[in-house]
Every structure is written in C-alpha cells, then in structure tokens.
Amino acid sequence: MLASTRVFTEKGITFASKMRVYFYHTQDMALLLRKFAAGELPPHFLYGATKLGGYGIDVVWHPAKAEPSRWKMIVRNTWKILTCREKYDVLYATHYRGLELIVFLRALRLFRKPIAVWHISR
C-alpha cells in the first residue's frame, strides 16, 4: 500500500494514488536545493529527484550532516530514516555509504521498504 492516497492528474490521466520516496544523499540537501532553484545546479546532480513530482512522486528529503566518523554517520542516518515522521514507500539513495545498517536490517527483513541505490563506481 502506498504511503499517500491522493488524486492527481497528469497529461489528462487521473490517478488515485501517489508514491512518496525518501531521498537519501550524502551532501547537504538544503544547499543543493537552493543552488538548483537558483539555476546553479543541473537536475541530474540530484539524480532526478527534483523531477519526480512531474511523475506523481513526492519526495521526503534526508537531512544530511557531515560526520567525521563513519560509524556516527551510519547510526545517525539509521536513526533519521527509522524515525522519519513522514510516510514513504521507497528509500531512494544516491550512495550506499551511511546506509549499511539499513541495508543489513533489510536483509534481516526488519526494514520492510524497498531500497533503490543509484551508485556509479569507476
């Protein structure tokens, strides 16, 4: 079941439900969104998240914070994701770094939402 059930219309077609994703990025989203709004940052730097609204998908933005310790980052991110008050259907991530515990919980079937990681390695 989707987190939100609203009616919306796209290109003359009416849909009865809408999807919501939790967008995880390792950088400061508030800064990136300001740069995007000012035209200083192309949308592909945000992995298409700013375009999802056009497809009927709401976005919950992860409040990233630079942590000197990877373990602190993992624990903080896990806490933020598990205690998010906004309902979402999918965890959409730009990188696996900081999500290791969430992925482990998913493997144990304790985190039930699908995880989509868009990571490019060279």
Side-chain angles (χ1 to χ4, degrees), residues 52-82:
L52 292 176
Y55 296 97
I57 302 171
D58 287 338
V59 179
V60 176
W61 304 99
H62 175 74
K65 179 182 174 186
E67 292 283 355
S69 164
R70 187 163 183 173
W71 279 107
K72 283 183 181 179
M73 179 177 65
I74 292 169
V75 170
R76 180 187 179 278
N77 290 340
T78 301
W79 178 255
K80 288 289 187 183
I81 291 167
L82 293 178

Side-chain angles (χ1 to χ4, degrees), residues 72-115:
K72 283 183 181 179
M73 179 177 65
I74 292 169
V75 170
R76 180 187 179 278
N77 290 340
T78 301
W79 178 255
K80 288 289 187 183
I81 291 167
L82 293 178
T83 61
C84 179
R85 292 189 182 264
E86 295 184 65
K87 295 194 181 295
Y88 58 94
D89 304 298
V90 178
L91 174 59
Y92 175 39
T94 62
H95 201 281
Y96 61 87
R97 183 177 170 88
L99 292 180
E100 293 88 347
L101 189 52
I102 291 289
V103 171
F104 182 64
L105 292 173
R106 171 82 178 154
L108 295 175
R109 296 185 180 178
L110 296 174
F111 182 76
R112 306 291 295 206
K113 299 182 187 307
I115 301 172

Side-chain angles (χ1 to χ4, degrees), residues 29-43 46 50:
M29 284 309 305
L31 174 66
L32 293 177
L33 289 171
R34 280 194 306 273
K35 285 185 174 186
F36 171 75
E40 300 171 12
L41 192 67
L46 297 171
T50 56

Side-chain angles (χ1 to χ4, degrees), residues 5-9 14-18:
T5 53
R6 296 182 291 262
V7 175
F8 71 100
T9 303
T14 302
F15 298 91
S17 63
K18 196 169 188 178

